[in-house]
Amino acid sequence: MAENIKKNPEEWVDFAVTARKYKTMLTPKYKARKVWTNPNPYDVQSFIPGTVLKILVKEGDLVKEGEPLLILEAMKMQNHIDMPFTARIKKINVTEGEKIPKDTLMIELEPAE
C-alpha cells in the first residue's frame, strides 16, 4: 500500500475521523458526480422528468406568490408548479408538449419592481 501512495500521490485523499488521519482513494463514480451549487431562487427548475402540458404565464407577467406557472405531467400525474414568491417572468425556456429531463431550467424570474 505504501508503494501505491508513492506511485500515484495525486489520487490519495486525506480525511480525519475522531482525531485519526486516514488515506483513501476516491471512486470514479464519486469523481464524476455532479458538483453541488447553491440554487438561484430566480430559476424555476423541473424536480422530475416529464412533459410540459400547459404554460399558464407569459414573459413579462407579474405573478404573485402561490399563483400557478405551469403544469408538468410525470408518470400520468399532473404537477402544478406554483410561483414561490412574487416576481416578474423574465424568460420561459420550455414549450407546451415538450418532454424535459430533471433539473431543466423551465422559467427564469426577475425581481418585481
Side-chain angles (χ1 to χ4, degrees), residues 3-57:
E3 295 172 13
N4 228 359
I5 294 174
K6 291 176 185 173
K7 288 180 185 175
N8 298 320
E10 68 279 350
E11 291 189 29
W12 290 88
V13 178
D14 292 330
F15 68 98
V17 177
T18 60
R20 293 182 186 228
K21 195 171 181 182
Y22 298 90
K23 284 200 178 288
T24 189
M25 292 181 71
L26 302 177
T27 64
K29 182 178 178 181
Y30 182 83
K31 289 178 186 178
R33 77 192 184 285
K34 181 180 175 187
V35 179
W36 183 85
T37 57
N38 193 9
N40 182 349
Y42 290 99
D43 291 345
V44 179
Q45 295 184 331
S46 60
F47 55 93
I48 52 177
T51 304
V52 178
L53 287 184
K54 188 156 182 75
I55 299 172
L56 305 168
V57 294

Side-chain angles (χ1 to χ4, degrees), residues 57-62 88-93 108:
V57 294
K58 296 181 200 92
E59 291 182 8
D61 285 355
L62 179 64
R88 189 170 303 281
I89 305 298
K90 181 178 179 183
K91 186 174 182 187
I92 299 173
N93 297 317
E108 296 176 44

Side-chain angles (χ1 to χ4, degrees), residues 43-110:
D43 291 345
V44 179
Q45 295 184 331
S46 60
F47 55 93
I48 52 177
T51 304
V52 178
L53 287 184
K54 188 156 182 75
I55 299 172
L56 305 168
V57 294
K58 296 181 200 92
E59 291 182 8
D61 285 355
L62 179 64
V63 185
K64 296 187 179 183
E65 180 179 348
E67 291 182 0
L69 293 172
L70 56 85
I71 300 172
L72 180 67
E73 183 183 58
M75 300 187 316
K76 297 186 181 181
M77 292 177 30
Q78 293 184 3
N79 299 284
H80 295 256
I81 311 300
D82 296 332
M83 190 68 163
F85 51 85
T86 301
R88 189 170 303 281
I89 305 298
K90 181 178 179 183
K91 186 174 182 187
I92 299 173
N93 297 317
V94 292
T95 58
E96 290 184 4
E98 181 178 357
K99 294 181 187 228
I100 58 173
K102 180 181 176 181
D103 296 328
T104 298
L105 178 57
M106 299 184 295
I107 297 177
E108 296 176 44
L109 306 173
E110 60 187 2

